[in-house]
Amino acid sequence: MKGRRIVLDHYQGREAAALLVDGRLDDLLIDSDQVRTGAIFRAICDRPLKGQGGMMLRIPGGTAFLRQGKGLHPGQAMLVQVTGIAEDGKAVPVTDRVLFKSRFAIITPGAPGRNISRQIDDEEERDRLAAIAHEAMEGADEGTFGLIIRSSAAGADEDDIYDDIREMLDLAVAVMADAEGTEPEALTEGDGPHDLAWREWSAPDIETTPGGFAREGVDQMIEDLAETRVEIGEGTMYVETTRALVAIDVNTGGDTSPAAALKANLAAARALPRALRMRGLGGQIAVDFAPMSKAHRKQVEQSLRASFKLDPIETSLVGWTTMGLFELQRKRERLPLAQLLEGANGQ
């Protein structure tokens, strides 16, 4: 099966979405019991964390952590948005820079201005989108609500873009009006897998009939992700998790030629973003590439940068350690697949 295809279904009783590219699983979203990334709360400041510069907050059913707590005081109400998954025993990470994001537009309270994605470079199309934005934002407080037109709006229907902007603007106005209060409250729950797939993925073919995962072989593809071994064509890669970090080991397999290590390492660099994305892995990552000369490190690093540039999850390429490992820091946007499925099986 060639091309891109989206399958919306449920997996082990949880809402799920799969993106297939040429018949291969390229992205996977499965709902969890945790607070969803993107959810917006009215939070109440609890206590500052001296030495870290942050603030602990009270949210419904638990606590949150805001990294920048300067100028805040206990008891103060504020709007925050969930930025990632909480590690075991830790508070939910949040930001006070709240965004209202949809398929074609992002409303940015507190960051006024109207902008169009730089990926849209056709001047006529930019003029068309600017006109739609001007009409849709009519009546909005320009000093309070900004707008970003996303790249997915290029070529989209005018009415669809207008409706999308208006829906996000109306939601933003309603939420911002509910910022004050003495108790924490959930104001939005964040998008589930089906809504996220509609918002972030594009494909000419979308399967929504129940049982799609079984028919398309997605169920088996998910089960295969439990294996630590990943075939990369030029060798093998092992992806294993510990409490502290994710460890990646790259091997050349049976190829003993002088160029084997470089070929395997370049293949691993291309495969790594997908391997992490499919398994929902983030945090600290250490890659033990196959032994190669230091002269080849730059080539491998360039391949890594090109691969992660296309990945939707924020990842920092830290660099090489003195022992020759390559370190990365990846945002924890998703619950690890193994942990999610373990929880589902235990229900």
Side-chain angles (χ1 to χ4, degrees):
M1 186 194 314
K2 297 294 183 181
R4 295 168 64 89
R5 181 175 174 81
I6 294 173
V7 185
L8 305 181
D9 200 4
H10 286 74
Y11 185 78
Q12 296 186 351
R14 300 175 183 270
E15 183 179 299
L19 175 63
L20 302 179
V21 177
D22 297 335
R24 185 185 185 210
L25 190 61
D26 191 72
D27 207 346
L28 176 68
L29 301 169
I30 302 178
D31 210 0
S32 74
D33 297 328
Q34 288 210 9
V35 177
R36 289 172 173 171
T37 299
I40 299 174
F41 293 97
R42 182 207 300 134
I44 305 299
C45 295
D46 189 21
R47 57 185 174 85
L49 290 183
K50 295 181 179 180
Q52 295 187 38
M55 174 70 75
M56 296 299 297
L57 313 170
R58 289 190 290 118
I59 59 174
T63 58
F65 173 67
L66 179 67
R67 188 172 295 278
Q68 298 295 333
K70 187 176 181 181
L72 300 176
H73 56 82
Q76 179 179 342
M78 63 184 306
L79 289 183
V80 295
Q81 188 165 36
V82 178
T83 59
I85 297 296
E87 298 179 57
D88 288 342
K90 294 187 178 182
V92 176
V94 296
T95 179
D96 58 354
R97 296 180 180 179
V98 175
L99 301 176
F100 296 84
K101 190 175 184 180
S102 192
R103 183 175 180 86
F104 301 128
I106 304 173
I107 299 296
T108 60
R114 298 173 186 175
N115 301 284
I116 298 173
S117 170
R118 294 178 182 177
Q119 295 181 37
I120 303 175
D121 54 13
D122 181 270
E123 288 303 321
E124 288 188 8
E125 180 63 6
R126 292 181 68 87
D127 290 342
R128 182 183 81 98
L129 294 174
I132 298 172
H134 178 75
E135 183 179 359
M137 294 292 286
E138 187 174 355
D141 183 348
E142 293 190 17
T144 301
F145 297 103
L147 170 68
I148 300 172
I149 298 292
R150 305 184 68 194
S151 59
S152 54
D157 181 79
E158 178 178 339
D159 289 340
D160 290 342
I161 299 172
Y162 176 91
D163 291 343
D164 204 44
I165 296 173
R166 288 303 309 183
E167 182 179 349
M168 286 299 99
L169 179 59
D170 291 344
L171 178 61
V173 171
V175 169
M176 297 300 290
D178 208 12
E180 296 300 323
T182 58
E183 295 296 327
E185 183 178 347
L187 302 180
T188 72
E189 64 177 8
D191 291 333
H194 291 182
D195 287 335
L196 276 173
W198 171 81
R199 194 183 87 185
E200 301 297 339
W201 298 345
S202 63
D205 191 8
I206 303 177
E207 173 62 60
T208 59
T209 307
F213 273 22
R215 289 192 302 274
E216 301 290 338
V218 176
D219 287 343
Q220 184 59 53
M221 295 179 197
I222 294 175
E223 290 182 18
D224 292 343
L225 291 172
E227 297 292 328
T228 60
R229 180 186 175 106
V230 179
E231 295 294 338
I232 56 176
E234 301 293 345
T236 55
M237 180 171 68
Y238 291 85
V239 181
E240 298 178 291
T241 59
T242 71
R243 184 170 179 82
L245 52 79
V246 178
I248 312 290
D249 184 41
V250 181
N251 297 313
T252 59
D255 189 348
T256 58
S257 67
L262 180 59
K263 289 192 295 183
N265 290 339
L266 291 175
R270 293 189 295 269
L272 188 54
R274 177 183 176 275
L276 296 172
R277 187 170 65 247
M278 294 296 93
R279 292 164 175 80
L281 299 177
Q284 298 180 75
I285 300 161
V287 185
D288 185 11
F289 284 107
M292 62 180 172
S293 68
K294 288 187 177 181
H296 287 151
R297 285 186 179 181
K298 185 175 182 180
Q299 194 173 345
V300 171
E301 188 171 348
Q302 288 174 338
S303 182
L304 280 170
R305 293 192 183 282
S307 298
F308 279 102
K309 187 176 182 180
L310 303 174
D311 190 74
I313 300 176
E314 181 182 332
T315 305
S316 298
L317 276 61
V318 179
W320 302 93
T321 70
T322 54
M323 293 181 65
L325 304 178
F326 193 88
E327 294 182 324
L328 305 93
Q329 182 72 37
R330 186 171 174 85
K331 190 175 181 181
R332 298 181 189 271
E333 283 194 359
R334 305 176 183 180
L335 194 69
L337 181 63
Q339 182 179 338
L340 192 156
L341 298 183
E342 182 179 299
N345 293 331
Q347 291 179 348

